[in-house]
Amino acid sequence: MTPLPDCFCPTDGTRVPAGSLAWCCPVCRGPLDLDFAPTPAPLKSLAGRVNSLWRYAECLPLAAPTVSLGEGRTPLVPLRDGISAKLDFLMPTLSFKDRGAVVLAELALRLKPRQVLADSSGNAGTAIAAYCARAALPCTVYVPEGTSPKKLEQIEAHGARLRVVEGDREATARATREAADEEGVFYASHVFNPYFLHGTKTYVHELWEDLGGRLPDVIVVPVGNGTLLLGAALAVAELHGAGLIDRRPALYAVQSAAVAPLAHAWAAGADDLVGVTPMAPTLAEGIAIPRPPRARQILRAVRESGGTFLTVTEDQIRHAQLDLASRGLYVESTGVACWAAVREGVLGERTAVVPLCGAGVKTGPARE
């Protein structure tokens, strides 16, 4: 078994040794990054490998997985006008969060905590619960009140303890972080733990493989806490650094207009969040994050890619969900945000891929 890499704080450089249960920088309490710079394998060497995200072994910080459910390798299907959709709602727990959750569960299995904690508006908690069940790890998931009953049912079905927190997503995160400071606890945070990002980056490695060793002009991703976008940026950097792509695609970040702190900062030309973004009701509940901890990293990644931010209204989300359903794709309301943002032609003649991140059965149809 290969040794684990150290973590470090991207803000102040503080290092956290491999094997630690520390979930944040001990100095500034910010998220951590991983001291890990892999070189991806060339396209021809992937033939015959395991048909899951673990086929990209050279790019993952953990080797020889034991808790896999066959996650990854989701279909890529055309929509229209050079735009394709990657069907990540066909993952084992019906959302893209499985990509990061399996890596966190594998890490937890090796660190042997007495308890695994997670906080979520639904999909991440479901994924963590499922993979902890697979690994026989005790798990508790904190969720905000008002979380979809279908997601709560799925979390409990996997045997996780459920803690419903009064208040919004931010209140839930605070409650979980307090509990995460207890001894022997592994905080399976899809925001603070960098291993999650190294799981989500396999989304782009799959695109590269499926497109025959290239990437589209634009990669469109929904952004709340930014885990898929930052994973995508990691993968693009790895592929470009290895000379496996000759240009970097633009990253287009999509937020709900109702809760769009990053889009507002982008419009202001800022490097970090500006002002206070109030929480507002939105159909895109999974990306309704008023203060994402990795805001600076997200803004920098979009800027360096030559991308931009787009916002979508509630009506656009409803119409996009119906449009996808008419094409045979029933996707939850958060998961249709990217299609809502680009389906009216804002990309021109550029090629693009949008992720369909969660299944419609998790929340049902978007309603007034």
Side-chain angles (χ1 to χ4, degrees):
M1 187 176 295
T2 56
L4 299 174
D6 289 345
C7 293
F8 68 94
C9 175
T11 301
D12 58 35
T14 301
R15 298 189 70 81
V16 175
S20 171
L21 288 174
W23 59 269
C24 66
C25 173
V27 177
C28 71
R29 303 283 287 182
L32 297 170
D33 281 348
L34 208 56
D35 190 1
F36 179 62
T39 299
L43 190 64
K44 63 181 180 181
S45 73
L46 299 177
R49 293 192 181 190
V50 61
N51 193 36
S52 76
L53 62 80
W54 294 99
R55 69 196 280 110
Y56 310 108
E58 292 87 350
C59 293
L60 294 171
L62 295 166
T66 60
V67 298
S68 176
L69 290 168
E71 57 288 327
R73 301 297 294 143
T74 54
L76 183 66
V77 300
L79 290 175
R80 73 173 190 215
D81 301 331
I83 303 175
S84 296
K86 189 157 176 59
L87 310 191
D88 261 23
F89 67 86
L90 296 180
M91 289 283 194
T93 76
L94 309 182
S95 93
F96 88 96
K97 295 290 176 62
D98 289 10
R99 294 186 182 276
V102 66
V103 181
L104 288 186
E106 188 69 38
L107 175 62
L109 193 64
R110 300 180 190 197
L111 298 181
K112 303 185 185 307
R114 64 174 177 82
Q115 179 70 229
V116 176
L117 299 185
D119 61 296
S120 171
S121 59
N123 283 338
T126 296
I128 296 295
Y131 284 95
C132 281
R134 185 72 170 177
L137 292 165
C139 177
T140 300
V141 180
Y142 288 67
V143 298
E145 58 185 356
T147 298
S148 165
K150 295 179 182 179
K151 293 178 181 178
L152 300 183
E153 179 182 342
Q154 192 177 4
I155 290 170
E156 289 188 305
H158 291 305
R161 295 178 61 191
L162 197 61
R163 294 285 179 87
V164 180
V165 178
E166 291 185 9
D168 59 15
R169 184 67 181 81
E170 293 289 298
T172 303
R174 287 194 298 270
T176 315
R177 290 167 195 167
E178 289 177 8
D181 285 329
E182 297 177 10
E183 187 176 354
V185 170
F186 177 80
Y187 181 22
S189 172
H190 58 291
V191 182
F192 281 77
N193 194 308
Y195 280 83
F196 195 93
L197 305 181
H198 284 269
T200 61
K201 76 182 181 184
T202 59
Y203 172 88
V204 168
H205 284 289
E206 289 177 19
L207 289 182
W208 170 76
E209 182 180 0
D210 290 342
L211 293 172
R214 61 182 179 85
L215 289 173
D217 299 325
V218 179
I219 296 175
V220 190
V221 287
V223 175
N225 279 308
T227 55
L228 184 53
L229 183 138
L230 291 173
L234 281 172
V236 168
E238 290 170 2
L239 291 166
H240 190 263
L244 296 174
I245 54 173
D246 57 9
R247 58 169 184 78
R248 300 182 184 224
L251 298 177
Y252 275 43
V254 179
Q255 295 207 285
S256 163
V259 184
L262 292 160
H264 292 158
W266 178 266
D271 293 330
D272 205 344
L273 301 179
V274 293
V276 176
T277 299
M279 193 68 177
T282 176
L283 294 166
E285 61 182 9
I287 54 173
I289 308 296
R291 286 175 291 278
R294 293 187 184 268
R296 292 182 67 89
Q297 289 177 279
I298 296 166
L299 290 161
R300 183 171 63 249
V302 174
R303 187 170 290 115
E304 290 178 352
S305 78
T308 191
F309 278 80
L310 303 172
T311 60
V312 290
T313 66
E314 303 304 289
D315 280 344
Q316 285 178 303
I317 292 171
R318 291 188 189 93
H319 295 154
Q321 189 182 41
L322 290 172
D323 181 56
L324 285 173
S326 74
R327 299 168 186 265
L329 301 167
Y330 187 38
V331 184
E332 69 173 336
S333 48
T334 297
V336 306
C338 290
W339 180 236
V342 303
R343 74 188 189 100
E344 299 302 331
V346 298
L347 297 176
E349 296 183 359
R350 287 171 293 177
T351 59
V353 173
V354 299
L356 304 185
C357 296
V361 294
K362 284 176 169 277
T363 56
R367 300 185 185 278
E368 297 291 344

